[in-house]
Amino acid sequence: MKIALLGNPNTGKSSIFNLLTGLRQQIGNFPGVTVEKKSGYFTHNEQRFDIVDFPGTYSLTPRSLDEEVVANILGKEDSKDFPDLIIAVVDSSRLENNLFLFTQLYELQLPTVLVLNMWDLSQKNGIIIDIEALQKQFPDTTIVTTNARVGIGKERILAAISKPKTRNGNFFIEEAQTTGNELTEKERRNKARTRKDKIESLVNLVQSKHEKKESSRLDKFFVHPVTGYLFFLTILMVMFQFIFSFASYPMDFIDGAFGTLSHWYSSNMPEGVLTDLISEGIIPGIGGVVIFVPQIALLFFFIGILEETGYLSRVVFIMDRIMRPLGLNGKSVVPLMSSLACAIPGVMSARTIGNWKERLITILVAPLMSCSARIPVYTLLIALVIPEGYIFGFLNIQGIVLFGLYLMGIIGAFVVAFILKLIIKNKSKGFMLLELPSLKPPRWGDVFIGVLEKIKIFLFDAGKIIIAISIILWFLASYGPGEKIKNSRFSVISSQAYQEASEETKADMTSSSNLENSYIGHLGKFIEPAIKPLGYDWKIGISLLTSFAAREVFVGSLSTIYAVQDEGDDPKRLLESMKNEKRPDGTPTYTFASGMSLMVFYVFAMQCMSTVAVVKRETRSWKWPLIQLLFMGVMAYAFSWITFLFLR
Amino acid sequence: MDSMQTNLADCAVGEEIEILSISDDFIATKLIEMGLTENLKTKVVLIAPLGDPIAIDIKGFILSIRKSIAKKILVKKADQK
């Protein structure tokens, strides 16, 4: 039996869904659109029920993308998700508002179950609903009361869906029968008004008193011009701190574990291509996916709380006016801020943005925010080309440069957002009408399920792409055309320097020669003429290519090229050899100009395959990640070129 | 004092108002679906720091409306005591 779960936003629909399905849920998309589809199943009395949690809507009039999905599926009996039964969830405290959608659903002539959720809360507020009288108005529906937040009412819903009442075909309003395809806006309005009026008089019969919302003291605090922003900033700082610092412990652990696993595998298996593929391609590839899980989990834990409590909509309320000129949404603040730690959870968190255009712009500019993976690159290059010292006696010059790089990314993101706002067409006609739900404590079960969902999406959807790309990169860096790798290895081994070197240096020398003669090495040399105007040579070229896997790979790649594999995190030897590195004409490779140019390159370039994979997942097409890759690449090239030109 | 006609964008927090008319059919339909109809007696609950958006009470839930839309909603301010 197929069930559609429908209701207005903020009626506790998701809690009902979680209550019925537990962890037996799945996230996908509705065919052809980017609207998220949550489905799940459960069994009751040996009968299987498949349930789809539709996006929350106020009516069946297709206005936004979400509403279109609902209207399309319920309008077509042959669509895959067309239900046998509808569970309509309403908030008991807002019966009159919520009945608008329900009366439309009632007219679809499908069996319905009307769930009066948050029943206890309405009781507590003195709202008395005469269920018998309500039942008389909708004789063909089964009415149940629930309090899904604390898990009350599951049995009642199960009993209701096991014995659904059939519909006898009367319409709630007469006008509903004449559903001519194209109504004028005026006719639509009149029809909505008729329905609304009828609901109003009906509710007057069954309900004693309406709830009146006053602004609570907490709300006044949240939207206050001073305390409101201060509080939001504090929340962001806390989130950011947690993601930035505390995620590093599990991340280091994952990094170490996969390193050990890879090492163990290669030393316990027979030597050969397959062993290399697994130990150097696949295991690090999987590790490179899993390593993002702590950040994703932490971010969505916080976002889950913010959403559940209703605070997130207050954020939108105070940020909307500020972000609007940039083509962004009040909700864009969270994805952009989180992207300062890592763009991957940042991009995924843009899901909370309802408007497609605003969400897309947020996703496209998020990777311009300098993430934590850029830090190793920045710090290495700053230490290399920026002198230590102070301006005005207290401003650390290296610190100013680092701050400038972050600022450059943020300004870049805003400027690009503004340009994209002018270019991208808006798909949905929607204009923002936002509900501010009552503030309430979070339901931890729902937060937890939300975190698991995000991890699952990342691991299984984006993970596939990331592993595939990292295997390709591994192949390109380990194999080369013809016998070159072998030949040059031979010449390295037979050189006098090699004979005199220590065991460690010997290994460094061969891996340096291997990388230089691999496909990527050749590619690095091939692109040298293109990156020369930016102040780079082929060795930097190779590192640019390999660091498409992830930005921090840049440092490791340079270490390999310069044959100075450091133990631990201290890149002292690498810095030493980079300082001594000379161009063919004898001038140093890393000057103030070329170093700055390289840093600017990393501010703008999309050097992260995982972000590409996540953007593909979130936008459901290769179009947007490729556009993003392109414009970020163009920006990186152009600004590095300008930087090098002016500083040389 | 006589009751005053103005648009929703010009109301202050806490002001008791009655919705008179909505000038745009497309917007009106959406608002009706959400419960904001002509003749609704309500109150401005919150106004965002930059004066935009503003939030009003609709029989038990708070709806935030951008100023550009609020301008299209004609309201009558209730008699002040």
Side-chain angles (χ1 to χ4, degrees):
Chain A
M1 183 153 177
K2 282 191 277 188
I3 299 174
L5 186 64
L6 288 142
N8 289 21
N10 304 307
T11 48
K13 195 163 61 73
S14 302
S15 293
I16 301 253
F17 182 71
N18 290 341
L19 190 67
L20 289 172
T21 59
L23 284 172
R24 292 173 302 261
Q25 3 183 307
Q26 223 184 328
I27 303 240
N29 279 52
F30 288 104
V33 286
T34 49
V35 176
E36 189 174 282
K37 173 183 165 186
K38 260 167 81 178
S39 53
Y41 71 90
F42 57 93
T43 45
H44 178 63
N45 290 342
E46 288 169 23
Q47 190 182 357
R48 181 184 160 115
F49 296 90
D50 286 287
I51 182 164
V52 175
D53 184 11
F54 281 83
T57 57
Y58 294 95
S59 82
L60 293 182
T61 320
R63 287 289 157 83
S64 68
L65 216 54
D66 281 4
E67 290 163 349
E68 244 169 67
V69 165
V70 176
N72 280 347
I73 289 172
L74 294 180
K76 266 193 268 154
E77 273 183 52
D78 54 346
S79 74
K80 201 180 113 245
D81 294 310
F82 190 82
D84 303 310
L85 179 136
I86 291 173
I87 298 180
V89 185
V90 305
D91 173 354
S92 310
S93 308
R94 292 160 33 195
L95 187 64
E96 188 183 318
N97 285 325
N98 287 183
L99 279 182
F100 195 96
L101 176 67
F102 175 71
T103 59
Q104 288 184 321
L105 296 171
Y106 193 64
E107 282 165 354
L108 290 173
Q109 308 306 331
L110 287 165
T112 51
V113 173
L114 175 60
V115 176
L116 302 179
N117 195 24
M118 308 190 213
W119 181 252
D120 58 328
L121 203 69
S122 70
Q123 296 278 35
K124 216 176 75 188
N125 292 334
I127 294 167
I128 298 159
I129 299 169
D130 183 345
I131 293 181
E132 263 177 52
L134 187 64
Q135 183 75 71
K136 268 186 201 141
Q137 300 290 335
F138 303 103
D140 296 343
T141 194
T142 317
I143 301 175
V144 294
T145 60
T146 61
N147 182 18
R149 281 179 60 81
V150 290
I152 294 174
K154 186 180 171 183
E155 290 307 316
R156 283 174 227 154
I157 296 176
L158 290 177
I161 57 174
S162 303
K163 291 193 189 71
K165 292 186 190 171
T166 46
R167 282 285 284 131
N168 69 6
N170 60 329
F171 284 83
F172 183 70
I173 56 167
E174 312 249 312
E175 287 83 346
Q177 292 181 72
T178 53
T179 33
N181 259 357
E182 281 305 311
L183 292 173
T184 63
E185 287 301 336
K186 183 88 196 151
E187 285 165 344
R188 274 211 181 135
R189 176 181 182 164
N190 290 338
K191 213 168 115 180
R193 186 61 211 244
T194 312
R195 183 181 301 275
K196 183 76 202 168
D197 285 344
K198 186 154 182 203
I199 292 170
E200 209 176 306
S201 46
L202 180 155
V203 169
N204 285 337
L205 290 178
V206 304
Q207 184 177 331
S208 61
K209 132 187 179 201
H210 285 294
E211 199 187 354
K212 274 245 164 71
K213 275 273 157 42
E214 300 282 336
S215 45
S216 66
R217 282 171 69 175
L218 208 52
D219 258 332
K220 282 189 180 132
F221 174 81
F222 285 153
V223 308
H224 186 272
V226 178
T227 56
Y229 291 111
L230 268 180
F231 182 75
F232 179 47
L233 208 65
T234 314
I235 294 273
L236 280 179
M237 284 306 288
V238 171
M239 277 171 66
F240 192 49
Q241 279 298 314
F242 265 89
I243 299 164
F244 204 76
S245 9
F246 293 123
S248 66
Y249 298 106
M251 285 169 81
D252 287 346
F253 173 75
I254 292 167
D255 196 29
F258 276 89
T260 313
L261 182 66
S262 163
H263 187 77
W264 175 85
Y265 190 89
S266 64
S267 44
N268 282 285
M269 290 292 155
E271 264 184 56
V273 182
L274 188 67
T275 304
D276 284 353
L277 171 70
I278 291 172
S279 70
E280 287 166 32
I282 293 176
I283 293 177
I286 295 172
V289 175
V290 177
I291 199 141
F292 289 111
V293 169
Q295 288 183 328
I296 292 173
L298 272 172
L299 179 69
F300 284 102
F301 175 70
F302 284 111
I303 291 184
I305 295 173
L306 297 188
E307 254 191 320
E308 278 272 317
T309 51
Y311 176 66
L312 201 60
S313 54
R314 270 72 180 172
V315 171
V316 180
F317 190 67
I318 61 169
M319 295 304 294
D320 182 58
R321 184 67 193 83
I322 300 169
M323 304 300 276
R324 213 187 304 160
L326 297 169
L328 299 169
N329 183 295
K331 282 183 184 166
S332 309
V333 178
V334 174
L336 292 182
M337 256 319 265
S338 345
S339 295
L340 284 173
C342 178
I344 287 150
V347 166
M348 291 172 77
S349 68
R351 277 183 183 220
T352 52
I353 302 169
N355 179 301
W356 166 247
K357 179 178 172 179
E358 290 170 339
R359 180 178 160 206
L360 184 63
I361 294 178
T362 308
I363 290 175
L364 291 179
V365 303
L368 286 168
M369 310 295 276
S370 278
C371 65
S372 54
R374 283 161 168 111
I375 292 175
V377 180
Y378 289 165
T379 48
L380 178 78
L381 292 170
I382 285 176
L384 192 64
V385 300
I386 309 293
E388 280 178 58
Y390 294 88
I391 306 181
F392 308 130
F394 66 96
L395 283 173
N396 182 307
I397 299 174
Q398 295 187 329
I400 292 174
V401 172
L402 187 65
F403 177 74
L405 293 169
Y406 272 88
L407 199 65
M408 198 182 281
I410 295 170
I411 293 171
F414 286 166
V415 171
V416 172
F418 182 75
I419 296 168
L420 289 172
K421 178 196 167 192
L422 303 176
I423 298 173
I424 298 173
K425 283 197 206 83
N426 205 348
K427 272 197 216 167
S428 50
K429 279 195 279 175
F431 41 90
M432 209 184 67
L433 288 169
L434 175 81
E435 185 177 335
L436 302 183
S438 351
L439 296 164
K440 55 184 182 299
R443 186 170 178 261
W444 297 105
D446 290 344
V447 173
F448 177 67
I449 288 176
V451 170
L452 277 185
E453 260 167 23
K454 295 299 185 293
I455 293 175
K456 242 161 70 183
I457 289 174
F458 176 74
L459 285 183
F460 298 116
D461 288 2
K464 282 183 287 197
I465 302 170
I466 299 172
I467 292 172
I469 300 177
S470 54
I471 289 174
I472 294 171
L473 283 174
W474 163 79
F475 174 80
L476 292 177
S478 313
Y479 294 89
E483 300 282 291
K484 276 199 177 151
I485 288 190
K486 221 188 213 168
N487 294 344
S488 72
R489 186 192 173 95
F490 182 75
S491 63
V492 167
I493 292 176
S494 52
S495 72
Q496 193 173 355
Y498 185 87
Q499 305 292 335
E500 290 164 4
S502 68
E503 277 308 306
E504 257 175 48
T505 319
K506 275 181 181 166
D508 286 353
M509 285 170 82
T510 50
S511 44
S512 168
S513 135
N514 284 354
L515 185 56
E516 186 186 336
N517 290 286
S518 68
Y519 289 108
I520 277 198
H522 285 277
L523 217 53
K525 285 178 182 163
F526 177 73
I527 61 165
E528 193 177 28
I531 55 175
K532 216 168 177 188
L534 312 183
Y536 315 154
D537 63 0
W538 62 268
K539 293 181 184 174
I540 300 176
I542 291 175
S543 308
L544 289 184
L545 291 170
T546 52
S547 67
F548 179 66
R551 293 176 177 93
E552 68 270 23
V553 170
F554 177 77
V555 180
S557 248
L558 280 179
S559 309
T560 310
I561 293 268
Y562 294 129
V564 281
Q565 303 276 15
D566 280 289
E567 285 296 314
D569 289 332
D570 185 22
K572 227 183 260 161
R573 286 175 59 211
L574 176 60
L575 271 174
E576 213 40 57
S577 51
M578 284 172 84
K579 261 182 199 149
N580 298 328
E581 184 69 10
K582 298 273 192 296
R583 291 167 200 277
D585 62 4
T587 56
T589 307
Y590 297 95
T591 59
F592 177 60
S594 69
M596 283 304 291
S597 154
L598 201 48
M599 282 188 261
V600 170
F601 190 89
Y602 272 91
V603 169
F604 295 112
M606 169 66 111
Q607 292 285 83
C608 180
M609 59 175 179
S610 309
T611 306
V612 174
V614 164
V615 173
K616 149 82 179 41
R617 168 63 179 76
E618 294 297 307
T619 60
R620 285 274 149 177
S621 81
W622 279 107
K623 178 182 162 192
W624 294 111
L626 290 178
I627 287 176
Q628 187 177 32
L629 192 66
L630 193 74
F631 81 71
M632 288 178 72
V634 169
M635 281 172 82
Y637 192 89
F639 288 113
S640 314
W641 183 64
I642 292 169
T643 307
F644 188 63
L645 211 61
F646 278 90
L647 297 181
R648 194 164 48 161
Chain B
M1 213 178 116
D2 275 305
S3 44
M4 253 168 55
Q5 277 191 15
T6 178
N7 68 54
L8 183 57
D10 292 332
C11 296
V13 172
E15 239 168 349
E16 307 267 352
I17 50 171
E18 184 182 336
I19 309 290
L20 290 178
S21 67
I22 305 164
S23 66
D24 181 309
D25 284 332
F26 177 74
I27 292 169
T29 311
K30 187 83 199 170
L31 289 170
I32 292 167
E33 286 168 3
M34 297 181 99
L36 194 152
T37 53
E38 281 129 356
N39 306 333
L40 178 78
K41 289 194 178 67
T42 176
K43 196 177 188 179
V44 177
V45 181
L46 295 166
I47 296 181
L50 295 165
D52 182 14
I54 64 172
I56 62 168
D57 166 53
I58 300 179
K59 296 189 176 171
F61 89 100
I62 305 176
L63 182 69
S64 146
I65 300 173
R66 280 184 180 169
K67 212 169 174 176
S68 54
I69 290 170
K71 280 191 179 139
K72 296 183 174 169
I73 303 172
L74 193 67
V75 302
K76 187 171 82 179
K77 291 189 184 176
D79 295 339
Q80 312 269 319
K81 275 170 205 161

